[in-house]
Amino acid sequence: MADSTMAVSQWSPSFVEELLPAAEKTALLYQLSYLCLANFPNLERTIRSRAVETQLLFSSSDATMLKCILTSDNLVQSLFPMLTTAVEKNKPRLAVKYLEKARAWITDIIKDVDRIVEKYDLHNKDISSATSDVVTEKSNTDKDIAKKDQELTATETTLNQQKSELQNVNAEIDQIEKKINDKSQEIQDFAKSMSQTSKGLGIFAAIVPFVGLLVKSIYDSVNDPKNIAKMKALEAELNNLIGDKTAAKQKQWQLQLRIIDWQMKVATASFDRTSIPDPIHLDEVQSSLTKIQSIMIQLKNFWEKVAQMLIYLEQKTFVGEDLIDDLEDLKDEFLKSISAAKGAWTSFGAGCQKASVIFKLQTKDSYKFLEVSPSSLSKEEWQQMYEEVKAKLGKIDPPPSLQSSDKPAICQESAEH
């Protein structure tokens, strides 16, 4: 059953946990941008327009998540039961028909997610244009402003130091992620080598695209102590790398919060001097939207891999004559794989449901600040609102990789199944 096209996705059903802080952060950073551009009506209108566009984009993202929910439900409620029936009745042609239908669903989702990714790209360009407008107007109003005083310079120096440290941490995380991908590939290759002696393992790898379940299936299928020891060593190495990534991302998260705080100090100093602040928070808005776009790209890549696996399953299990002959012998292994797949896909659908709720909340409640012009606020009201937004930023829960989900992504699944 081993084949070069077979792949194991690193996409976790808990992906939604990374989406929540990015979406919350986007709205709060818009609000900070809105506050910092008080008394500049043209720029206020620009921020309001871009924020409304983001709300509409989140609404479209919610619709895409709904399609993922429905497709996951169709896999659990329709495809898997129909495949089970086809296998039990030893009807490979019927199974091929069902798999082709599932691939049509998934192809439609891939196109839909791709459209959303393009919308995020265009929206980020709009925000970049807005940032350029702010920069231009700032340049026109700053011609008569003296050089920044010593306190502001010191604040900017600290901010730049924090940014430099964050760049170093980002580079460290990139290196760790590469090592994690390499180690995951090593586990995948090991699973492929084992499939030479266990066709059931090969079927399992093709239909259950989650690493944790694959690791457990290796333990269940391999009896050789040497191979078991090798699998344990690979799993330990992967968990160690994930632990390193968790620590690095915790540091990254704390640096990001400190940078936002120092950026606000610079913005406040500029505000007090009647200068238009640098559009720092619009840059951060772009970063948050890019994070959400990255999640959507991962979602698209996930569905593409699932589509490839279904093709592999169709061609290698139900079309190849040698495997049709073995279908009766593989029936039990196939039905076990179907049972495990139902649980995994149900969990994935639940993750998409949570993502849908997040997009709905952001669309409905998080942009009410647009109803009040910041130029209408007194200095005291402005300061109070700034403190409230800053406090909300500090309460945003870190992504799961900063808490516990990265490492248990393997351990928990193995324990539960």
Side-chain angles (χ1 to χ4, degrees), residues 173-222:
I173 290 173
D174 289 342
Q175 292 177 355
I176 294 174
E177 286 180 341
K178 183 180 184 302
K179 291 179 181 179
I180 288 175
N181 289 335
D182 291 343
K183 189 58 61 178
S184 298
Q185 184 64 46
E186 191 174 348
I187 291 176
Q188 179 183 332
D189 293 341
F190 181 69
K192 290 180 181 179
S193 68
M194 291 300 96
S195 67
Q196 299 296 328
T197 57
S198 175
K199 290 183 177 179
L201 179 59
I203 292 175
F204 191 94
I207 201 170
V208 184
F210 302 97
V211 173
L213 293 176
L214 177 58
V215 170
K216 183 179 181 298
S217 69
I218 292 175
Y219 285 135
D220 291 342
S221 302
V222 177

Side-chain angles (χ1 to χ4, degrees), residues 187-393:
I187 291 176
Q188 179 183 332
D189 293 341
F190 181 69
K192 290 180 181 179
S193 68
M194 291 300 96
S195 67
Q196 299 296 328
T197 57
S198 175
K199 290 183 177 179
L201 179 59
I203 292 175
F204 191 94
I207 201 170
V208 184
F210 302 97
V211 173
L213 293 176
L214 177 58
V215 170
K216 183 179 181 298
S217 69
I218 292 175
Y219 285 135
D220 291 342
S221 302
V222 177
N223 297 319
D224 187 341
K226 290 183 179 180
N227 286 330
I228 292 176
K230 181 177 179 181
M231 186 64 251
K232 287 183 176 180
L234 290 172
E235 186 179 11
E237 291 171 2
L238 181 58
N239 282 337
N240 287 337
L241 289 171
I242 291 173
D244 292 342
K245 178 183 175 183
T246 298
K249 281 217 161 188
Q250 179 65 57
K251 186 175 181 181
Q252 179 194 53
W253 182 258
Q254 296 301 323
L255 281 169
Q256 288 173 341
L257 289 178
R258 287 203 295 270
I259 286 172
I260 289 172
D261 191 29
W262 281 103
Q263 286 173 331
M264 280 307 301
K265 291 178 181 178
V266 172
T268 302
S270 297
F271 180 86
D272 291 338
R273 295 164 68 250
T274 69
S275 169
I276 297 177
D278 287 322
I280 47 178
H281 302 303
L282 285 180
D283 290 338
E284 291 295 323
V285 166
Q286 286 184 265
S287 296
S288 294
L289 289 174
T290 298
K291 175 62 178 176
I292 298 173
Q293 181 184 25
S294 174
I295 292 173
M296 291 296 183
I297 291 172
Q298 292 176 50
L299 182 62
K300 175 191 172 185
N301 292 340
F302 169 78
W303 283 115
E304 288 176 341
K305 287 184 178 180
V306 172
Q308 292 172 0
M309 290 177 184
L310 292 182
I311 293 173
Y312 176 89
L313 187 66
E314 175 186 334
Q315 294 177 344
K316 298 298 183 180
T317 302
F318 296 108
V319 177
E321 292 298 330
D322 56 329
L323 294 176
I324 290 176
D325 294 338
D326 292 339
L327 187 56
E328 183 66 31
D329 296 334
L330 294 174
K331 183 180 296 184
D332 289 341
E333 293 293 343
F334 194 95
L335 295 179
K336 288 179 182 178
S337 297
I338 289 289
S339 178
K342 285 182 178 180
W345 280 105
T346 299
S347 177
F348 177 78
C352 292
Q353 180 65 54
K354 291 180 181 178
S356 175
V357 171
I358 289 170
F359 283 126
K360 279 186 174 68
L361 289 176
Q362 291 298 311
T363 301
K364 179 182 177 182
D365 298 327
S366 296
Y367 291 82
K368 288 186 176 180
F369 65 88
L370 295 173
E371 297 172 3
V372 178
S373 171
S375 60
S376 66
L377 301 175
S378 67
K379 187 173 181 178
E380 291 73 19
E381 289 172 331
W382 186 97
Q383 186 66 34
Q384 180 182 354
M385 187 168 291
Y386 154 60
E387 294 293 345
E388 290 174 355
V389 176
K390 179 181 173 182
K392 289 178 182 178
L393 273 170

